[in-house]
Amino acid sequence: MKLILLGPPGAGKGTQAQILATKLGVPTISTGDILRAAVKNGTPVGLEAKGYMDRGELVPDAVVIGVFLDRISQDDCKHGYIFDGMPRNLAQAQELDRQGIQIDTALSIEISDAEIEKRLTGRRVCPDCAATFHVESDPPQKDDVCDRCDSVLIIRVDDEAETVKQRLAVYHAETEPLKDYYKGQGKLITVQNINGIEETTAAVLKALGI
């Protein structure tokens, strides 16, 4: 299966991607991971991407696609793969099509902006042991103190309210149009995110017919 996971930041794409990867026996491929790997391995497109990253610039779509093409040519992708965070816009999706990359399904995890804001702004992270908590759904035993190592918990920059709003705005402007793009190809499946990983996974598996 060649699968794309769509959905706003905080929708649970990464978690579901890992579960599906294990169940299907195919790798999960995320933009950040493969860019870092390409840079580390010193591939030609990796070195090109590094130049942009070192300057703090967004890596152009053509370079990102090049890195993805390198990755999916590897042996572990022969039986399929799961794209997490790729494509991120219509230009990337159209380029994948031009390159002959045939996707079976685009699965969109649906969740409201209000729920995303609640999830992300309530998240607290330990800067020392990386344990994660949530002020409502999974609070620490002591306010703002890690249960594991007693360090003071922090709010990541990505989880600050204004940052979350900006990330959602970018998603709606650049990535959400992919839903209509893949719907037009008859490849879109939508699943409502449910409170609880297991319940959402069950809905995802049912939608995919697994």
Side-chain angles (χ1 to χ4, degrees):
M1 177 177 285
K2 297 174 182 177
L3 175 67
I4 291 173
L5 287 184
L6 300 173
K13 298 187 299 296
T15 298
Q16 295 302 323
Q18 291 301 325
I19 292 170
L20 287 170
T22 299
K23 189 168 187 67
L24 297 172
V26 299
T28 294
I29 303 175
S30 71
T31 305
D33 288 346
I34 65 166
L35 283 175
R36 286 188 289 270
V39 170
K40 181 179 178 181
N41 294 333
T43 66
V45 287
L47 293 174
E48 187 175 358
K50 184 177 185 298
Y52 291 98
M53 295 164 70
D54 287 348
R55 293 191 298 272
E57 300 174 4
L58 281 177
V59 180
D61 291 338
V63 179
V64 173
I65 294 293
V67 174
F68 267 85
L69 292 176
D70 277 356
R71 177 65 184 89
I72 65 176
S73 69
Q74 297 176 19
D75 287 344
D76 63 340
C77 293
K78 286 183 177 179
H79 302 293
Y81 40 79
I82 300 169
F83 283 166
D84 175 12
M86 168 70 185
R88 71 177 180 223
N89 55 41
L90 284 173
Q92 290 185 355
Q94 291 164 347
E95 184 60 26
L96 285 176
D97 286 346
R98 280 193 290 269
Q99 293 289 341
I101 307 304
Q102 295 298 314
I103 300 301
D104 298 315
T105 302
L107 177 73
S108 177
I109 300 177
E110 303 291 303
I111 184 170
S112 70
D113 284 8
E115 181 61 28
I116 288 294
E117 291 179 24
K118 182 179 177 182
R119 280 188 183 186
L120 297 186
T121 59
R123 187 159 55 186
R124 301 293 183 269
V125 179
C126 178
D128 294 323
C129 73
T132 302
F133 303 87
H134 193 279
V135 295
E136 293 186 11
S137 61
D138 185 22
Q141 294 177 6
K142 298 179 183 178
D143 287 348
D144 295 326
V145 177
C146 180
D147 291 348
R148 296 182 186 176
C149 65
D150 291 329
S151 296
V152 177
L153 301 176
I154 63 171
I155 302 175
R156 298 189 316 174
V157 173
D158 278 356
D159 294 336
E160 293 177 355
E162 287 305 312
T163 305
V164 171
K165 289 181 184 297
Q166 178 60 31
R167 292 172 69 195
L168 285 169
V170 171
Y171 165 75
H172 290 307
E174 297 186 7
T175 307
E176 194 168 31
L178 291 171
K179 289 162 60 176
D180 285 338
Y181 182 76
Y182 287 113
K183 183 178 181 180
Q185 295 183 354
K187 297 178 179 180
L188 180 70
I189 295 175
T190 60
V191 171
Q192 292 296 321
N193 184 287
I194 306 166
N195 286 328
I197 293 173
E198 292 182 0
E199 292 87 347
T200 300
T201 300
V204 166
L205 295 177
K206 182 178 179 180
L208 292 174
I210 299 174

